Amino acid sequence: MGLVWATAEDLSRNRARVLSLYRQILRSLNSPALPLSFAARLSKKAEVRAMFWVGSDERSQHNIADLIDAAEYSLSFLRKGQLPPRHIN
């Protein structure tokens, strides 16, 4: 099975969506509904930044779609005032 590599146009098409997800996740981590201390919030934000930074080098269309789906899934939990599960079974 071969990977389908993203072109420059594909990457630019996803840019706005990815930036929006990134900002929404960081903003959601400030929610008072989340049971996090100040230090834990900073740690989670650093974790999010690192994940998006590593994901920015991705060039496979399928992997990019999976990363966007994972970000949307995590955001759905954060909007409910919950932390996303660490491991999905």
Side-chain angles (χ1 to χ4, degrees):
M1 180 172 106
L3 294 175
V4 178
W5 299 108
T7 63
E9 293 83 25
D10 295 329
L11 296 176
S12 66
R13 215 174 307 128
N14 287 323
R15 180 181 166 88
R17 186 172 181 196
V18 170
L19 284 174
S20 175
L21 284 168
Y22 175 71
R23 290 180 185 132
Q24 288 177 63
I25 289 172
L26 289 179
R27 209 174 305 126
S28 295
L29 287 171
N30 286 330
S31 171
L34 287 176
L36 296 172
S37 67
F38 179 71
R41 285 180 204 282
L42 290 178
S43 174
K44 290 290 181 193
K45 287 180 181 183
E47 199 175 311
V48 168
R49 284 184 192 101
M51 285 188 275
F52 274 82
W53 182 70
V54 169
S56 70
D57 285 337
E58 187 56 58
R59 295 294 177 249
S60 162
Q61 287 181 346
H62 299 291
N63 291 347
I64 291 169
D66 287 345
L67 290 170
I68 289 172
D69 288 345
E72 289 172 343
Y73 177 75
S74 295
L75 188 57
S76 71
F77 278 92
L78 292 171
R79 286 183 175 151
K80 292 186 267 185
Q82 303 170 353
L83 291 173
R86 292 293 258 174
H87 303 286
I88 301 170
N89 293 330

